[in-house]
Amino acid sequence: MAGTGERFHPGRVIMGSFAVAIAIGSALLALPAATESGTGASVLDAVFTATSAVCVTGLITVDTASYWSPFGEVVILVLIQLGGLGIMTVASLMVVLLSRRLGLRARLVAQAQTRTLTPRDVGRVVRKVIIFSLASEAVVAAILATRWAVEGRFSLREAVWHGVFHSISAFNNAGFSLNADSLMGYVGDAWIMLTVCAAVIVGGLGFPVVFELARAWRHPRAWSVTTKLTVGVTVALLVIGTVVVAAVERHNPATLGAMPTGHRMLAAIFTATMPRTAGFNAIDIGSMSSEGLLFTDLLMFIGGGSASTAGGIKVTTFGLLAVVLWAEMRGESRVNVGVRQVPVDNQRQAFAVAVLFVGLSAVATFTLLALTDFSLDQVLFEAVSALSTVGLSAGITADLPEAGKWLIIVLMYVGRLGPLTLASALALRHRERRYERPIERTIVG
């Protein structure tokens, strides 16, 4: 029946699941036991933090370490884990474990969240996703905890907790930190910097890409179009990002200018990696040059891989649009990636996602400019960071008016779900025309 199909539209189920998780997280964070003061967080701070955690963003209105109690920190960590894996992925896993099989509806719901290619593979993929995620987080946690224990800054118990917290936050591209200055205090520590970078990159590749690389890493010609675009664009952005950040910030004494050469390169690599939507920072983002902020906006806008914990329009979307543009400039009627042809509907999807993100970013930036006295650099950075679920900030999040904070909450929610998923969830039904109009070309340009 049409009504039943509409009610169980996968996009709507995902939207509802995230909303429920945010509501439960907000209620828990509003409890007196969740704060160090024991007075309970305000509704706005609780909702903002819960949304940021479930949507694996990392923007905060209060300092995580000093404001939230151990109970509150655990709640945040659980919300990050649930948001990173995807509420529907977790629900589908429970179905697999209990019944050993997924019904068609559950398969389609899980497919919409994990973006796997065939419904019949969802059950197997969900199990692999959980195992791979937990194993990766455990390895990263062990490395970070060992480093912090050896360093002597924390007790063994504190080192383990910091390792676990930052591991889950990094792999899920959340950007929450137990340090007031994020990871600025470790800018010269290659052990910490590169481990966090590796966790962010792996988490931002996307599970289908990771699994394919594990199977066929020696045979790049056999990779799917998704894997080729994801790996190619990711590597290009990391290299170009590092070079550009190092170049534009090299004379800025508030960021890279005052650092030794080795620390400067580590900071440049870290700063180019985090806009994949991780949200950690090793330099003062608010002190970056206008060129540095604008370039970081672009990196955040592109984001990470499809089916990953990253946000943005995704590197596959950006790569596909670049390939389409190149084909158009060459006058080719078909768009090819390697030996594969990309269908027209796939090209339209990439275009739709990019245009929706541009439109939402513009509207949000305009609104924040009207609500605040902050500069265009600052509010554009904040809007793109929220919509792309990055979590980096120019230092204005806590100073935004209440209306501005609620707008950021909406942007994080919409950005995590994806504009296209949101649009499909709100559509009453799929409409297919049974006739075609006469063709007439319009002037372009």
Side-chain angles (χ1 to χ4, degrees), residues 177-252:
S177 176
L178 295 179
N179 305 310
D181 60 354
S182 190
L183 296 178
M184 290 177 62
Y186 304 95
V187 68
D189 192 325
W191 194 336
I192 299 293
M193 293 287 100
L194 296 181
T195 299
V196 171
C197 281
V200 168
I201 292 171
V202 173
L205 283 176
F207 302 120
V209 172
V210 171
F211 293 156
E212 185 170 353
L213 289 176
R215 292 194 309 267
W217 64 274
R218 294 183 178 180
H219 307 286
R221 290 187 178 181
W223 293 352
S224 65
V225 172
T226 296
T227 298
K228 288 179 179 177
L229 288 175
T230 300
V231 173
V233 177
T234 295
V235 172
L237 290 179
L238 289 175
V239 173
I240 295 172
T242 300
V243 172
V244 172
V245 169
V248 300
E249 297 296 326
R250 69 186 187 281
H251 297 310
N252 185 347

Side-chain angles (χ1 to χ4, degrees), residues 268-281:
I269 293 171
F270 192 87
T271 304
T273 303
M274 293 307 110
R276 294 183 53 75
T277 78
F280 294 105
N281 62 285

Side-chain angles (χ1 to χ4, degrees), residues 329-392:
M329 292 174 63
R330 290 166 58 91
E332 297 177 354
S333 60
R334 300 288 186 271
V335 175
N336 302 316
V337 177
V339 296
R340 301 291 183 182
Q341 182 182 139
V342 181
V344 175
D345 61 335
N346 210 185
Q347 300 170 39
R348 289 202 306 266
Q349 290 170 359
F351 177 76
V353 169
V355 171
L356 283 170
F357 256 76
V358 169
L360 289 171
S361 299
V363 171
T365 301
F366 180 85
T367 305
L368 287 175
L369 280 174
L371 292 173
T372 70
D373 295 324
F374 295 116
S375 68
L376 176 60
D377 283 347
Q378 292 173 310
V379 296
L380 175 62
F381 194 95
E382 199 79 9
V384 174
S385 179
L387 185 61
S388 298
T389 66
V390 178
L392 292 174

Side-chain angles (χ1 to χ4, degrees), residues 46-69:
V47 174
F48 193 103
T49 304
T51 305
S52 185
V54 171
C55 298
V56 290
T57 304
L59 288 173
I60 55 175
T61 54
V62 293
D63 179 59
T64 304
S66 61
Y67 186 83
W68 302 109
S69 67

Side-chain angles (χ1 to χ4, degrees), residues 299-314:
L299 293 179
M300 293 191 298
F301 183 83
I302 296 170
S306 297
S308 75
T309 52
I313 65 171
K314 302 300 192 303

